[in-house]
Amino acid sequence: MRDWWLIKDTFQSEREDLIKKLTQKFDDLRQKEMDLENSYQNFSRHVEHDFREVYNKLVEYQERLEKRKEEYGLEEKFMGEIKKIQNNKVKLNVGGRIFYTSTITLNKVPGNLLAKIVTEHEPEVDGAWFIDRDNTHFSLILNFLRDNELPQYVREDPEIMDELLQEAEYYGIHDLTSLRWTELPRVTQEELETLYPHPSSRKKDTVFILERKDLSGLDFSGYNISPRSSFHGSNLERANFAEAHFVFEFESQVNFTYCCLKGTMLPEEGTSYRSPGVYFNLTDADKDEIIYTSY
């Protein structure tokens, strides 16, 4: 019986040792499993981080490539324009002075005389097209064709502007001739009637001296306009003279020289608002769109 209890105690002790070892092994395996899971998560994070980093670098590289491609396209286009200009180089002899430009520049304003000369006529022996005009302001004309603008000092000098605009009129560069009517001092309808009150009698004439003014859209109805009046260089676009009485005087004409008369309403010759013998001086005016009324 004593042996039985001895065997039982020994078995019990070994059983407990075995359970402890199995428990320890299980704990070790669970710890390894947790370590493996942590390692996997860390690995996944590293892989995801590295993937995003590589992806962002690829996107950045692609953007740089696209930008370089666009820059190259612009450079290629610019070089093409330069080559095109070089292939269309034009040599002009204006009053004895040589100027170089291109057919692209000369055609900026369609139908101008310079473009027609180059396309419809052969150059001289030296390869230049000769133009018998004063060359003082010709560089300003070419620069206007290139850039569509004039230096401020030119705009502010009436003498230069008059000379330049005469040349522009000759060459048919209408975009330049229209600049004469920009930045003119504006006269409102109220200011007009303050400067020139309506006459109390139909027999009283008004002599208007309104030169180099912006008179666009003004209504001159009811005035008796003396032929000694001068609107030289003014912008009279859409101004209404249809019901203004133009009075006759010997050796006098209403001065509309160098005026913008686009859409301007003027009484037709022989109508009740225009006395017999009344003529308008329209020298160098923009007169193609005048509206003559027959009231």
Side-chain angles (χ1 to χ4, degrees):
M1 194 68 180
R2 183 184 303 171
D3 293 337
W4 164 251
W5 287 110
L6 182 62
I7 293 171
K8 183 180 178 182
D9 290 340
T10 302
F11 176 77
Q12 184 71 25
S13 176
E14 289 178 354
R15 182 175 176 273
E16 290 176 357
D17 288 342
L18 180 60
I19 290 173
K20 285 182 181 180
K21 289 179 181 179
L22 288 174
T23 303
Q24 183 65 43
K25 287 289 184 182
F26 180 77
D27 290 341
D28 291 343
L29 287 172
R30 187 164 56 182
Q31 183 63 46
K32 287 180 179 180
E33 183 182 16
M34 291 176 62
D35 292 343
L36 184 61
E37 179 66 25
N38 290 333
S39 297
Y40 176 75
Q41 290 180 0
N42 289 333
F43 175 75
S44 298
R45 282 196 294 269
H46 284 303
V47 169
E48 184 178 1
H49 175 269
D50 291 345
F51 173 78
R52 289 186 178 278
E53 188 174 351
V54 171
Y55 175 79
N56 290 334
K57 287 182 178 179
L58 284 173
V59 170
E60 184 181 352
Y61 181 69
Q62 185 177 5
E63 289 175 351
R64 287 204 305 267
L65 281 178
E66 291 294 332
K67 187 175 180 180
R68 289 294 302 274
K69 181 180 177 181
E70 184 179 350
E71 290 174 352
Y72 176 76
L74 291 174
E75 290 175 3
E76 190 175 31
K77 182 179 179 182
F78 180 68
M79 293 303 295
E81 291 293 331
I82 291 177
K83 186 176 180 180
K84 191 175 180 181
I85 290 173
Q86 290 174 338
N87 291 338
N88 292 276
K89 187 167 66 175
V90 173
K91 181 180 179 182
L92 300 174
N93 181 345
V94 183
R97 181 181 171 188
I98 299 297
F99 294 86
Y100 289 97
T101 184
S102 70
T103 55
I104 295 173
T105 296
L106 296 183
N107 283 286
K108 287 286 184 69
V109 177
N112 72 80
L113 182 61
L114 291 170
K116 288 181 179 179
I117 289 173
V118 170
T119 55
E120 298 177 7
H121 300 276
E122 293 296 323
E124 303 289 326
V125 178
D126 62 352
W129 280 267
F130 179 73
I131 302 171
D132 188 16
R133 296 291 292 183
D134 181 67
N135 57 45
T136 305
H137 304 303
F138 192 73
S139 59
L140 290 173
I141 289 175
L142 286 182
N143 285 335
F144 177 80
L145 289 173
R146 292 174 181 128
D147 307 322
N148 198 35
E149 61 182 11
L150 289 175
Q152 192 62 33
Y153 80 90
V154 175
R155 289 173 173 267
E156 294 173 353
D157 191 318
E159 184 177 348
I160 294 178
M161 279 298 291
D162 275 346
E163 294 173 357
L164 178 61
L165 293 172
Q166 285 181 26
E167 293 303 298
E169 190 78 33
Y170 173 79
Y171 292 119
I173 303 174
H174 303 297
D175 290 3
L176 178 51
T177 58
S178 64
L179 287 179
R180 74 175 75 191
W181 301 300
T182 61
E183 301 180 9
L184 294 175
R186 174 65 179 162
V187 177
T188 65
Q189 188 71 36
E190 184 179 355
E191 289 170 339
L192 174 70
E193 294 174 5
T194 300
L195 290 169
Y196 300 96
H198 279 279
S200 56
S201 170
R202 290 192 61 180
K203 294 182 179 180
K204 186 176 181 181
D205 302 343
T206 301
V207 179
F208 289 95
I209 305 298
L210 292 169
E211 299 183 341
R212 298 183 184 279
K213 298 288 191 294
D214 182 1
L215 309 174
S216 57
L218 296 187
D219 188 355
F220 290 83
S221 298
Y223 284 104
N224 298 321
I225 299 179
S226 167
R228 288 176 283 121
S229 298
S230 178
F231 300 93
H232 170 81
S234 291
N235 180 11
L236 286 163
E237 185 173 357
R238 296 176 288 98
N240 182 16
F241 292 92
E243 297 183 19
H245 294 270
F246 286 87
V247 183
F248 174 76
E249 282 186 20
F250 287 104
E251 299 181 359
S252 293
Q253 295 179 341
V254 181
N255 185 1
F256 287 115
T257 57
Y258 291 96
C259 285
C260 176
L261 299 173
K262 290 183 178 179
T264 305
M265 298 178 69
L266 291 170
E268 195 171 9
E269 188 177 358
T271 57
S272 59
Y273 287 100
R274 182 170 168 179
S275 300
V278 171
Y279 295 99
F280 303 139
N281 186 350
L282 303 176
T283 303
D284 291 318
D286 187 349
K287 53 184 180 290
D288 293 338
E289 298 180 31
I290 295 176
I291 300 172
Y292 287 104
T293 59
S294 55
Y295 300 156

